[in-house]
Every structure is written in C-alpha cells, then in structure tokens.
Amino acid sequence: MGIVNLLVEADWSLSLSEVVETAMELLKVTDAVGREKIQQAFAEFMKLRVKNYLDTTRYDVVDAVIGDVDDICAVTLKAAAVEQFLKVPDAVKTIQSFVRVANIARKTNSAQINTELMTLDAEQVLYRAFEAVKVAAEELITKKDFIGALDILKKLSAPIDGYFDAVMVMDENLDVRANRLAQLKAVDDLLSKIADFKAIVS
C-alpha cells in the first residue's frame, strides 16, 4: 500500500507539515532555511503522490484541490466532492459564478467589509446571502463534509450573478472600490477552502 493510501485511511489529526516538523526535531535539523526547504520539498513530493493516487479523477478537479496537501485526507475528499458536484444541474453555471468572484478578488488582500459603504441593493443581497451560509459552510468544511458545504455554497450563485449585473466593482470612489473588492475577497476566501474553481474546465 502506498504512502498516500496510508495517510488517507489513517486520517491523522497531525498535518503533514507537523509530521515533517517532528521528524526534523528527531533528526536535529536546526537550520531554519534548511527546514523550510525540506518542508517545501516534501510538499511537492506529496503533491505528485496525491496526483497519482487520484489518477481516475478529472485532471482539472485534481488541479483545483491540490494547492495545499497538508491534509491528504481532506484533499481526496474535496476531489470527490467537486467531481460529484459537477454532475448536478447548473453546476457549471454555479462554478462560473465562483470564478467571476475569484478573478476580481485577487485584486486585493483585504477581506475587511464595511457594511455602511454598501449603497446598492445587490451588494446587500450578496452580503446577506454570504452571512447566511458562512457559519454552516465552515462547520461542514471543518468536518470534511465538502459535499454538504458545496450544497450550501451553491446558494451564492444567484446573488453573485446579481451583484455583477448591478455593481461596478472598480468604482471611482476608492473607499467604495476597496469595500467591494473586500466583499468579493471574503466570498472567495470561503470558496477557496474547498477548491480553486478557476482550475475547473467547463
């Protein structure tokens, strides 16, 4: 049985980086730069092993979930959840909505939202929809119920589309612009806990 199979079946409470840290402590690796290089090398090694393990999964789905392999079990469950989600009605449309958010959200690093700067109905509709699903989705993600989380998060699709139909994100008012970008960043941060949906090929 391969190393990935063992890690998936074990579903350890320790992350891969914690396991590597423990190994380096036992081996008395003290150089900070060296430790960082070992962590990076091991992560890249495990990405290749996980891709091999998921060889029957759609390649774009693998690309969407492989960004962080610190929790191997979670990566495999995310892949299964996204692949299953792609089979439901309107899945492609929903993912296109998620991608629209991601493409704009990367223009900022801040997810700090000021509701007082939301002057348009579409902004408030998306904000309320996001707040309505955020806690439940995060709880399901923590439990590794990614199928359940996606079922909740798909409710954001219509508010997202309505937002882009009515809102000029890059407003001339810099405070309004920053707030709109932050709102989209908050949504994207939540979606990214499951996958990088930009990697999905429609």
Side-chain angles (χ1 to χ4, degrees):
M1 182 180 292
I3 185 172
V4 176
N5 303 67
L6 289 170
L7 291 170
V8 170
E9 291 188 6
D11 189 11
W12 291 354
S13 58
L14 289 178
S15 65
L16 283 181
S17 58
E18 290 172 330
V19 172
V20 176
E21 283 292 327
T22 300
M24 290 190 293
E25 290 293 335
L26 293 173
L27 294 171
K28 302 187 185 304
V29 179
T30 58
D31 176 60
V33 175
R35 290 171 73 98
E36 181 64 24
K37 287 182 178 179
I38 290 172
Q39 284 283 11
Q40 293 175 354
F42 190 71
E44 290 304 314
F45 168 79
M46 289 307 302
K47 283 184 181 181
L48 294 175
R49 300 285 73 77
V50 173
K51 283 188 174 183
N52 184 63
Y53 178 81
L54 296 172
D55 62 342
T56 60
T57 303
R58 282 179 46 161
Y59 77 92
D60 55 339
V61 171
V62 175
D63 289 342
V65 301
I66 203 71
D68 182 1
V69 294
D70 212 29
D71 185 337
I72 296 295
C73 181
V75 172
T76 61
L77 291 174
K78 288 176 182 179
V82 173
E83 195 164 50
Q84 180 174 321
F85 182 71
L86 286 169
K87 298 175 183 178
V88 307
D90 293 331
V92 172
K93 183 177 182 298
T94 297
I95 288 176
Q96 287 173 344
S97 300
F98 293 171
V99 171
R100 294 179 78 182
V101 171
N103 286 337
I104 301 295
R106 58 187 174 182
K107 296 180 182 293
T108 184
N109 293 318
S110 173
Q112 295 298 315
I113 302 169
N114 182 353
T115 56
E116 293 182 0
L117 290 173
M118 294 181 182
T119 58
L120 300 178
D121 289 344
E123 292 178 278
Q124 296 168 17
V125 168
L126 177 56
Y127 179 76
R128 289 194 296 269
F130 174 70
E131 289 296 306
V133 303
K134 183 175 184 292
V135 173
E138 287 180 333
E139 287 178 352
L140 290 169
I141 290 169
T142 299
K143 296 175 182 177
K144 298 179 184 176
D145 182 359
F146 302 110
I147 293 175
L150 281 170
D151 190 53
I152 290 177
L153 291 172
K154 69 182 181 183
K155 297 176 182 178
L156 293 176
S157 179
I160 289 171
D161 291 341
Y163 182 95
F164 283 109
D165 287 343
V167 177
M168 176 64 70
V169 178
M170 306 306 286
D171 194 89
E172 292 182 359
N173 184 307
L174 295 182
D175 290 336
V176 171
R177 179 191 303 182
N179 197 59
R180 289 174 178 173
L181 288 171
Q183 182 176 12
L184 296 176
K185 180 70 163 55
V187 174
D188 186 55
D189 283 350
L190 178 58
L191 297 173
S192 296
K193 291 181 178 181
I194 296 180
D196 175 8
F197 291 100
K198 298 191 303 299
I200 301 297
V201 178
S202 301

